[in-house]
Amino acid sequence: MEFVVITMAKIAVMLGVLLTVVAYTVWLERKVCAWMQDRVGPNRVGPFGLLQPLADGLKMMLKEDVLPRHITDKALYTLGPLMAMVPALVTAGAIPWGSQLPLFGRQIQCVVANLNAAVLVVFATSSFAVYGIVLAGWASNSKYPFLGGVRSSAQMISYEVCLALSVVPVFMQIGSLSLCHMVEYQTHHTWMIFMPWQWPSFLIFIISAFAETNRTPFDLPEAEQELVAGYNTEYSSMKFSMFFLGEYAAMFVMSAMMVTLFFGGWSLPFAPFNRPATTLWIGLAHVAIFLAKILVFLFLYIWIRWTIPRVRYDQLMALGWKIFIPLTIVNIVFVGIVLALWGGR
Amino acid sequence: MTFLDTLFWFLSIAMLLSGVGVIASRSPVTSAMFLVMLFVFMAGLFALLEAFFLAAIQVLVYAGAVMVLFLFVIMLLDVRASQQRRVKLLAVFGGVAVAGALAWELILILQQPVRPLAGSDTNLHGGLEAVVKPLFANYMLPFEVTALLLLVAMVGVVLLSKRDME
Amino acid sequence: MLVQRPKLTFWERLYLPQVLQGLWQTLSHIPRKKFTRQYPEEKPPLYGKYRGAPELVRDPDGRVKCVACQLCEFVCPPKAIRVVPGFRKEGASDASVEKEPSDFIINMNRCIFCGFCEEVCPEEAIFLLRDFSVSGYSREEMQFHKDKLLELGGVREDKIQKWKNK
Ligand code: SF4
Ligand code: SF4
């Protein structure tokens, strides 16, 4: 019973934090994009436009939910945005947000589900996001969303393979699929990113993560110039904002994965931050460190989006199948040899 | 009935219902989505047995990859034709016969006492090692042969599909 | 003509240097001076011949210049103008002009600020002046009537007043 209550509370807090961060990522994106284009960005609602996400959310909720007449399968049409958003939120539950919080005389782990196959669960759940896009594309019953849906299913399947294969070397070194062990290992040794033989994995992972979240330069499913808005063309109001939330939540989760796998999760490589927290404040500081690291990656996402033009579709597929997948396999063998020779563990 | 029992019944009934949904729904896309649901519930059953690795792989491979490919193919086909197709009586009888045979077989098998697989260690709690150890230690040859077979099939398909273009 | 594609070196084909260059470019813009104009508080500078919304003008003696010839009504591409012709007041100083609009309506929802009305007007009575943001809370509010148009247009300082001595 106690377990259920604590887990429920964790889920509530996690979702609250996640959605807030996601909302403010949208704000950050608009701000950063504006700055990069020598503009000011949202600045009307609240100081520095900080209340903009609230205004946006309110606007989205109050908008009319238009159901185009040519949509025959309403159930699938509604399922689309749900499937785009929910997986990303679920995935966040398998990621350790911090070490632990000593609260009410208990040690509360800062992870909703401490699974021993957490990485697989993350990949498995995030692979569901593709259904959202495919269903939206199909159920919209018109050609641009459909093309977007087809494109995205091909893209996401290809890059899922790269994504999963690229982190295999990391787990070969740790010898566990648990994300909590992952962070623990990095607190004892050093962050993965400081081990040169893991660099190829990181590079491939980060690029595949961009493709997996459909962000520029790989935002082919919603290429505005060719496909209007791709899969979300026929959506409005809350359904549209669910796609939006889903995209940003997926960005968050992917950033969290990068932080956990390569940048030591909630830890910093010096005194009170490199071991599980003993006081509440250090516990909270760990969460803050984790979020700060994620913020860096979110900024990277945004930065790249407003810099690099979209690649062509055949380039994208060629990059995935002809370069990345062979490269990841070679990388696995290479890291295996390195670990066997120098005994990485 | 404990909490886990309730969960078991819920998952199995939901799984069977989505199985019915797969064959009962007229639109292939809806069928495919029911199949995805079925895989997810099945993964839930695996998780109940503490086979978390298997559960994750189930979702990752079947629901995450195979079904997306299925959907992909369905979307490229003309689904309207199959939506209008009439159900043939013979097909129904055939289906019922096959299902009955399968059920009978299952009952026969399940009446046998449960024997652990040779080389598997029941103490491993269905984690990663429980699946991987026997696979790479005791059943290495069959495993590799299967992999080779799949590779051959793949190469064959590529060859067949490319021949048309020449 | 065959365009010879330049042969790219290995570095160039990697795209990475270019990508980094681009990233630096965007990053270096973040702290730069912003060009945003805070619109409702900061009005944009309007230059001499700015052409905003069409408005009616009076001559230096305060008389309505429009003679209700309805040319602008005919020429207006989106049919935004509606002129209701009427007569000047008997005995007034401008009675010799005979006609004047008893009402003159421009539907600002439809007007495209093309300036045809200004060009066609034989009396130089309508001009595109400096109001560029015409807004209202209802469609009704966006129908600008004669009084409003005259008020907005004001007096036009013209040396030639062809009706003055007729
Ligand atoms: S500016 Fe053009 S559109 Fe507007 S009232 Fe004059 S003629 Fe009509
Ligand atoms: S504004 Fe000019 S063109 Fe239009 S009715 Fe009056 S005199 Fe004629």
Side-chain angles (χ1 to χ4, degrees), chain A residues 4 73 76 79 83 115-117 120-121 123-125 127-128 130-131 134-135 137-138 141 146 149-151 153-154 157 160 164 175-177, chain B residues 3 27 29-30 33 36 40 52-53 55-57 59-60 62-69 71-72 74-76 79-80 83 125 127-129:
Chain A
V4 174
D73 206 330
L76 290 182
L79 196 61
M83 290 287 267
L115 305 166
N116 59 7
L120 288 175
V121 172
F123 286 140
T125 356
S127 69
F128 263 81
V130 66
Y131 284 109
V134 171
L135 285 182
W138 193 81
N141 215 355
F146 179 73
V150 171
R151 272 188 181 187
S153 53
I157 293 174
E160 224 160 73
S176 161
L177 284 174
Chain B
F3 178 61
S27 146
V29 177
T30 322
M33 287 320 289
V36 172
V40 173
F52 296 113
F53 176 72
I57 285 293
V59 175
L60 184 64
Y62 283 100
V66 174
M67 282 318 292
V68 178
L69 282 179
L71 262 188
F72 198 69
I74 291 172
M75 276 167 35
L76 294 179
V79 291
R80 233 153 269 149
Q83 257 164 354
H125 292 305
L128 180 56
E129 274 167 54

Side-chain angles (χ1 to χ4, degrees), chain B residues 2 7 15 18 35 37 60-61 63 71 73-74 88 101 113-115 132 141-142 148 156-157 164-165:
Chain B
T2 64
L7 215 56
M15 188 175 127
S18 26
L35 198 54
M37 257 166 74
L60 184 64
V61 174
L71 262 188
V73 174
I74 291 172
K88 289 200 196 77
V114 180
R115 271 183 293 128
V132 171
L141 188 67
L148 204 67
V157 168
D164 277 3
M165 293 211 276

Side-chain angles (χ1 to χ4, degrees), chain B residues 76-110:
Chain B
L76 294 179
L77 296 176
D78 186 13
V79 291
R80 233 153 269 149
S82 67
Q83 257 164 354
Q84 282 153 4
R85 204 182 50 203
R86 302 258 309 277
V87 180
K88 289 200 196 77
L89 209 61
L90 190 68
V92 173
F93 277 124
V96 169
V98 170
L102 208 65
W104 181 60
E105 201 177 46
L106 267 180
I107 290 167
L108 278 192
I109 291 174
L110 290 180

Side-chain angles (χ1 to χ4, degrees), chain C residues 52 54 72 75-81 106 110-118 126 128:
Chain C
C72 54
V75 81
C76 176
K79 301 202 188 313
I81 300 181
I106 301 184
R110 307 199 67 169
C111 172
I112 55 174
F113 293 18
C114 65
F116 281 10
C117 47
E118 174 179 334
I126 190 166
L128 269 64

Side-chain angles (χ1 to χ4, degrees), chain A:
Chain A
M1 194 58 217
E2 186 187 302
F3 171 77
V4 174
V5 170
I6 291 181
T7 309
M8 284 300 176
K10 275 192 208 167
I11 292 175
V13 172
M14 183 198 79
L15 282 185
V17 175
L18 180 66
L19 289 176
T20 317
V21 173
V22 163
Y24 277 94
T25 315
V26 180
W27 173 85
L28 188 75
E29 168 129 45
R30 293 174 64 181
K31 269 293 194 199
V32 169
C33 139
W35 290 333
M36 282 175 176
Q37 298 167 348
D38 294 342
R39 295 185 288 115
V40 177
N43 65 346
R44 293 279 154 172
V45 198
F48 304 107
L50 272 174
L51 297 179
Q52 189 70 42
L54 287 180
D56 286 349
L58 199 66
K59 183 193 86 174
M60 280 299 186
M61 269 188 274
L62 294 179
K63 273 198 162 181
E64 185 188 355
D65 190 8
V66 180
L67 187 75
R69 202 182 309 154
H70 57 261
I71 280 157
T72 44
D73 206 330
K74 263 196 223 164
L76 290 182
Y77 178 79
T78 322
L79 196 61
L82 274 178
M83 290 287 267
M85 183 180 74
V86 173
L89 301 185
V90 172
T91 321
I95 292 171
W97 288 54
S99 50
Q100 51 194 6
L101 295 174
L103 211 62
F104 309 125
R106 288 194 194 82
Q107 296 290 340
I108 294 175
Q109 299 288 322
C110 288
V111 53
V112 175
N114 185 2
L115 305 166
N116 59 7
V119 181
L120 288 175
V121 172
V122 169
F123 286 140
T125 356
S126 64
S127 69
F128 263 81
V130 66
Y131 284 109
I133 296 175
V134 171
L135 285 182
W138 193 81
S140 287
N141 215 355
S142 66
K143 68 184 161 205
Y144 292 127
F146 179 73
L147 286 174
V150 171
R151 272 188 181 187
S152 109
S153 53
Q155 172 180 341
M156 289 178 90
I157 293 174
S158 322
Y159 277 88
E160 224 160 73
V161 180
C162 302
L163 204 65
L165 284 180
S166 69
V167 290
V168 169
V170 176
F171 297 106
M172 280 159 51
Q173 181 154 4
I174 311 278
S176 161
L177 284 174
S178 157
L179 287 172
C180 292
H181 289 168
M182 186 78 226
V183 180
E184 212 174 282
Y185 181 91
Q186 293 182 72
T187 54
H188 291 154
H189 299 74
T190 170
W191 294 358
M192 277 294 156
I193 199 69
F194 296 136
M195 305 176 188
W197 58 89
Q198 298 288 10
W199 286 350
S201 315
F202 175 64
L203 215 65
I204 296 172
F205 186 82
I206 192 169
I207 296 175
S208 308
F210 273 80
E212 190 69 7
T213 45
N214 291 325
R215 289 282 296 188
T216 336
F218 305 117
D219 60 341
L220 276 307
E222 43 184 327
E224 288 90 350
Q225 292 83 350
E226 317 149 31
L227 298 181
V228 190
Y231 56 86
N232 57 29
T233 309
E234 306 283 358
Y235 284 89
S236 51
S237 143
M238 261 334 260
K239 293 201 184 104
F240 172 78
S241 62
M242 275 187 192
F243 279 116
F244 214 66
L245 277 182
E247 180 183 331
Y248 282 89
M251 266 165 71
F252 179 92
V253 167
M254 278 300 157
S255 306
M257 283 296 281
M258 282 186 261
V259 168
T260 316
L261 292 177
F262 296 97
F263 289 85
W266 42 260
S267 70
L268 280 181
F270 51 82
F273 301 118
N274 60 2
R275 65 182 95 89
T278 42
T279 66
L280 183 61
W281 290 113
I282 296 181
L284 288 177
H286 281 158
V287 178
I289 290 168
F290 178 71
L291 289 178
K293 286 180 183 174
I294 284 177
L295 209 61
V296 173
F297 278 99
L298 288 176
F299 178 77
L300 187 74
Y301 263 105
I302 294 167
W303 185 13
I304 287 187
R305 168 158 182 197
W306 296 101
T307 304
I308 301 174
R310 185 179 302 127
V311 298
R312 227 169 44 215
Y313 194 63
D314 60 321
Q315 290 171 332
L316 171 88
M317 290 316 253
L319 184 73
W321 288 102
K322 293 190 186 152
I323 300 181
F324 275 3
I325 291 183
L327 216 61
T328 46
I329 293 171
V330 170
N331 187 30
I332 291 172
V333 176
F334 161 73
V335 175
I337 292 171
V338 169
L339 293 181
L341 288 185
W342 286 286
R345 287 205 206 175

